[in-house]
């Protein structure tokens, strides 16, 4: 099997989910570091416009979004299963990514205040289409601390009932999703994290346990090498029309796929395969030749053309 090429940056909380999955599954991977802000000249040729991190590349197959990357790792590397409890772990993912993440962002960037790089602020304003205002976030810190605390108390209660991991004796993807915000807060604002976690001893013990998973084995790869790998490879995706598509999507149609939250840049291509959980589109770029880009369905819109 072609090697896993992982496009990320080390400070990315969504990437931390995947690095932990590599650790828990004991996988080897190649690490391609991408910029934290635009431009991303070595990522866009692969994805066709999707700028977010993480992205996983295996040959000429490009997997966008942590939800889909986790599912693809489970499909390709089932030896250490991380989804033994079925699909609801994805729902925990949405809770972590959309509800708790908002509270973490406000607490972190509100606390960092004028230490936040103006270039980063400008980039994130363009990404979200909304003001990214650390002063406003600072005003929201007290409210958002309460939100972070309330959601963390759910974890404490779950660990009390089922620990040492959230679903019992073994780590699962549910732990990976829930770990993200604790990691984000602990890495960027350790004093805030220490204060907020003080009353949750089981969460602290579980967080420390999760951190022993490590990241598997990784070696650097240059962004240019990653593009060359895609150019030399052929996608393994098979054409397939799903008879249950509610709006009649068929293999061969021209479509645009875009995130439904922030970073809504449309990615254009020809539909290769789709299902309730995934969509794959074919596209080409002089830097990478023909590639197939895969997205989740939950959290992404598919439009004609
Ligand atoms: N739904 C996406 C969210 C990914 C995301 O927002 N990643 C952040 C970094 S942690 C990002 O891409 N920020 C903008 C950037 O790096 O350009 C996922 O689960 O992968």
């Amino acid at each position: 099997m072609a090697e896993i090429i992982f496009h990320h940056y080390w400070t990315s909380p969504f990437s931390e989910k995947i690095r932990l999955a590599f650790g828990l599954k004991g996988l080897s991977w190649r690490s391609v570091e991408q910029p934290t802000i635009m431009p991303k000249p070595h990522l866009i040729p692969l994805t066709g416009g999707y700028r977010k991190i993480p992205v996983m590349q295996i040959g000429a197959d490009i997997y966008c979004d942590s939800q889909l990357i986790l599912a693809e790792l489970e499909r390709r590397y089932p030896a250490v299963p991380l989804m033994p409890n079925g699909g609801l772990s994805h729902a925990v993912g949405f809770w972590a990514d959309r509800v708790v993440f908002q509270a973490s962002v406000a607490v972190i960037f509100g606390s960092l205040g004028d230490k936040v790089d103006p270039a980063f602020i400008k980039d994130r304003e363009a990404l979200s289409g909304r003001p990214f205002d650390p002063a406003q976030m600072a005003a929201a810190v007290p409210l958002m601390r309460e939100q972070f605390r309330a959601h963390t108390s759910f974890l404490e209660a779950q660990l009390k009932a089922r620990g040492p991991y959230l679903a019992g004796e073994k780590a699962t993807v549910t732990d990976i999703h829930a770990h993200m915000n604790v990691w984000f807060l602990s890495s960027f604002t350790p004093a805030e994290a220490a204060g907020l976690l003080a009353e949750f001893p089981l969460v602290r013990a579980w967080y420390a346990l999760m951190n022993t998973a490590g990241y598997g084995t990784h070696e650097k790869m240059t962004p240019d090498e990653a593009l060359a790998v895609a150019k030399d490879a052929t996608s393994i995706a098979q054409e397939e029309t799903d008879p249950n598509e509610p709006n009649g999507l068929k293999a061969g149609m021209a479509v645009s796929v875009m995130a439904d939250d922030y970073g809504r840049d449309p990615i254009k291509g020809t539909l290769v395969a789709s299902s309730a959980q995934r969509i794959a589109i074919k596209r080409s770029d002089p830097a990478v030749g023909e590639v197939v880009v895969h997205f989740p369905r939950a959290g992404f819109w598919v439009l004609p053309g």
Side-chain angles (χ1 to χ4, degrees), residues 125-290:
E125 286 186 332
L127 176 71
S128 66
R130 284 183 293 150
F132 184 103
D133 182 354
Q136 208 172 42
M137 290 185 202
V141 165
L143 288 175
M144 290 301 147
R145 264 193 205 118
E146 290 179 10
Q147 290 306 304
F148 190 93
R149 175 184 188 231
H151 287 287
T152 306
S153 81
F154 297 155
L155 300 179
E156 185 78 4
Q158 181 71 17
L159 290 166
K160 191 164 179 204
R162 294 293 301 276
Y165 293 100
L166 292 169
E169 290 303 315
K170 291 205 166 121
T172 67
V173 149
T174 303
D175 297 284
I176 288 179
H177 289 309
H179 175 272
M180 176 179 84
N181 286 290
V182 181
W183 179 87
F184 194 23
L185 200 73
S186 304
S187 310
F188 283 80
T189 48
E192 276 291 342
L196 280 165
L197 299 179
E199 67 179 301
F200 301 123
L202 300 178
V203 172
R204 282 188 275 117
W206 160 85
Y207 179 64
L209 184 60
M210 284 299 288
N211 289 341
T212 62
Y215 296 148
T217 329
H218 54 92
E219 257 178 63
K220 273 193 173 200
M221 178 182 266
T222 67
D224 279 320
E225 268 181 273
L227 297 184
V229 168
K231 198 160 192 174
D232 286 348
T234 305
S235 162
I236 62 161
Q238 301 287 320
E239 241 188 42
E240 207 176 320
T241 290
D242 173 0
N244 297 316
E245 272 296 338
N247 298 317
L249 292 177
K250 285 190 178 60
M253 279 182 170
V255 292
S256 296
V257 180
M258 65 177 82
D260 73 359
D261 47 5
Y262 51 92
R264 290 185 179 177
D265 315 276
I267 299 96
K268 288 181 179 296
T270 306
L271 200 150
V272 176
S274 66
S275 69
Q277 295 191 4
R278 292 161 172 247
I279 183 156
I281 62 173
K282 190 162 56 183
R283 42 169 298 281
S284 53
D285 182 288
V288 295
E290 188 172 279

Side-chain angles (χ1 to χ4, degrees), residues 9 11-18 34-38 40 43 50-55 64-69 93 97-98 101 120 123-124 127 177 180 183-184 259 261-262 296 298-300:
Y9 43 83
T11 52
S12 154
F14 286 89
S15 304
E16 181 68 6
K17 291 188 184 191
I18 310 303
Q34 293 287 349
T36 56
I37 60 175
M38 291 296 270
K40 303 192 185 191
L43 184 67
Y50 183 82
R51 60 161 284 184
K52 293 188 211 169
I53 287 298
V55 168
C64 299
D65 195 283
S66 61
Q67 179 200 146
L68 180 66
I69 298 172
D97 297 2
R98 299 194 178 204
F101 188 61
F120 181 85
D123 179 86
R124 291 311 192 255
L127 176 71
H177 289 309
M180 176 179 84
W183 179 87
F184 194 23
D261 47 5
Y262 51 92
F300 283 79

